[in-house]
Amino acid sequence: MNQLQQDEHWMQYAIELAHIAFEEGEVPVGAVLVKNTELISKGWNSSISKHDPSAHAEMIAIREGGKILKNYRLLNTTLYVTLEPCAMCAGAMVHSRIDRLVYGVRDMKTGAVESVMNILSYSGINHKIQLTSGVLSNTCVSLLHNFFDTVRKRTKTVS
């Protein structure tokens, strides 16, 4: 399997996790942490249900990955995320020494990798993360649009 096929395989899994978040009423974002083509950990947005602003898909996958690998440094890993990470998640990726980030769609409101700011390429950061963006972007953006359309329709019905 070539790199693009691997990226699409793991992104498809992250999309499946994002569907779980959607069904739970969370913003549909999924994340998968992989090392040497093996799944290490996974997460989906749970901020609302856990009453925890840090319960983003990436943070959950990073925390669980550290426990599983018994190390806060997640060396030689790739994080797959359906939506561009925010500043909190990008910072956690740098601190955990993730090697590579693959994400589906840009976040023009809070994206901290390419859109609103670019934490990963800041010259003062002591760890650089390889970046691949746009993997299965149409599927990722469609899921987000469906979620927010559903939320808007619910809001109109209530008002």
Side-chain angles (χ1 to χ4, degrees):
M1 195 181 309
N2 68 33
Q3 189 64 63
L4 177 60
Q5 291 169 323
Q6 284 183 45
D7 289 350
E8 289 178 347
H9 168 79
W10 291 114
M11 185 61 70
Q12 186 58 51
Y13 188 39
I15 290 167
E16 291 171 23
L17 298 172
H19 279 284
I20 295 171
F22 188 116
E23 294 301 318
E24 293 178 354
E26 303 278 353
V27 176
V29 178
V32 178
L33 185 67
V34 174
K35 182 173 184 173
N36 301 326
T37 70
E38 290 187 34
L39 175 67
I40 300 300
S41 59
K42 61 189 178 187
W44 57 88
N45 273 5
S46 300
S47 294
I48 297 167
S49 61
K50 292 184 178 180
H51 312 290
D52 179 358
S54 71
H56 289 194
E58 303 94 309
M59 297 296 287
I60 293 167
I62 289 169
R63 286 182 191 133
E64 188 63 25
K67 290 176 188 173
I68 289 168
L69 295 174
K70 297 184 181 353
N71 195 337
Y72 76 99
R73 290 191 173 190
L74 306 175
L75 303 173
N76 305 311
T77 61
T78 299
L79 184 65
Y80 293 87
V81 188
T82 57
L83 181 65
E84 178 182 5
C86 70
M88 172 183 66
C89 295
M93 290 172 12
V94 169
H95 285 292
S96 64
R97 304 298 194 266
I98 288 171
D99 282 347
R100 186 168 175 252
L101 167 66
V102 178
Y103 76 85
V105 65
R106 285 185 175 195
D107 183 346
M108 300 312 289
K109 293 185 179 183
T110 63
V113 174
E114 292 184 298
S115 298
V116 177
M117 63 182 88
N118 193 334
I119 290 175
L120 301 186
S121 70
Y122 179 70
S123 63
I125 291 197
N126 62 346
H127 176 71
K128 300 298 179 198
I129 296 174
Q130 297 172 37
L131 176 64
T132 302
S133 61
V135 176
L136 300 181
S137 61
N138 290 339
T139 306
C140 295
V141 78
S142 178
L143 182 58
L144 287 162
H145 284 175
N146 289 341
F147 174 78
F148 288 110
D149 284 347
T150 301
V151 169
R152 281 190 285 278
K153 285 175 187 170
R154 259 191 242 136
T155 304
K156 283 182 181 180
T157 305
V158 173
S159 4

